[in-house]
């Protein structure tokens, strides 16, 4: 399985309602898990597949409305995050500094330029630098060092 295929699977699982996904091919085992407040049932495939397929989630009646309500920002939350938001491009662990004993890449109030490294997200033992998409001042850091992050999760507010 190629790295591109693995990253595609990580993104697909992150975007879906699945909480766990396991795949095995030619001795390579892949297991993806994420936490969720909902129980999702996924039908098991009847026969081996040539390519990975993510089955649609089966949700109880009314669960979609609850999921949409939970995903909607709370009143006043948009005001808190006014500015340009840098989001996580992948699922992994957020690190604010290049090493445990090192200073963080940026702090609230620091000026940053587009392309400047803001943090690292570790995914599958690979350290991925998160660069700013904007020039401005770090208004807010929305995650803690060592915290797990999801695909598309807001990390920084730059104004």
């Amino acid at each position: 399985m190629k790295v591109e295929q693995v990253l595609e699977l990580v993104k697909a699982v992150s975007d879906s309602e699945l909480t766990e996904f396991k795949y095995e091919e030619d001795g390579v085992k892949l297991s993806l898990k994420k936490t969720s407040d909902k129980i999702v049932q996924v039908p098991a495939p009847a026969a081996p597949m040539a390519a990975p397929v993510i089955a649609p989630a089966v949700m109880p009646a009314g669960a979609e409305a609850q999921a949409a309500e939970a995903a909607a920002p709370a009143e006043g939350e948009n005001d808190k995050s006014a500015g340009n938001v840098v989001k996580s491009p992948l699922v992994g662990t957020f690190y604010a500094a290049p090493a445990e004993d090192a200073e963080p890449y940026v702090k609230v109030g620091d000026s940053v330029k587009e392309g400047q490294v803001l943090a690292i997200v570790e995914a599958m033992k690979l350290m991925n630098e998160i660069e700013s998409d904007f020039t401005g001042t770090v208004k807010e850091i929305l995650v803690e060092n060592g915290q797990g992050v999801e695909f598309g999760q807001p990390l920084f507010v730059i104004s």
Side-chain angles (χ1 to χ4, degrees):
M1 180 174 270
K2 295 180 182 178
V3 174
E4 293 84 15
Q5 291 172 314
V6 172
L7 293 175
E8 204 172 299
L9 277 174
V10 169
K11 182 181 182 325
V13 171
S14 296
D15 291 345
S16 75
E17 295 292 323
L18 294 174
T19 57
E20 185 173 354
F21 176 79
K22 291 183 181 182
Y23 179 75
E24 185 174 343
E25 177 182 10
D26 299 327
V28 175
K29 295 180 181 180
L30 177 66
S31 177
L32 305 172
K33 295 180 183 182
K34 68 179 181 179
T35 58
S36 175
D37 294 345
K38 296 178 238 140
I39 296 175
V40 179
Q41 299 174 359
V42 180
M49 295 177 272
V53 175
I54 297 178
V58 178
M59 294 176 41
E64 288 179 17
Q66 291 175 348
E69 189 176 300
E75 191 173 319
E77 190 172 307
N78 285 340
D79 298 337
K80 178 182 172 187
S81 297
N84 298 311
V85 178
V86 177
K87 297 179 180 180
S88 179
L90 64 163
V91 176
T93 304
F94 176 87
Y95 293 109
E100 273 188 53
D101 56 349
E103 287 290 314
Y105 286 105
V106 294
K107 298 174 191 157
V108 173
D110 287 354
S111 293
V112 295
K113 294 181 180 178
E114 184 176 345
Q116 180 178 339
V117 176
L118 302 174
I120 293 174
V121 172
E122 177 188 5
M124 297 175 15
K125 303 291 181 193
L126 295 174
M127 300 300 184
N128 302 279
E129 292 183 337
I130 306 304
E131 298 178 351
S132 177
D133 298 327
F134 314 101
T135 297
T137 303
V138 178
K139 181 178 177 185
E140 199 170 354
I141 301 174
L142 303 171
V143 292
E144 296 292 324
N145 192 47
Q147 178 180 337
V149 294
E150 297 291 326
F151 174 80
Q153 179 177 344
L155 304 175
F156 297 90
V157 177
I158 311 287
S159 59

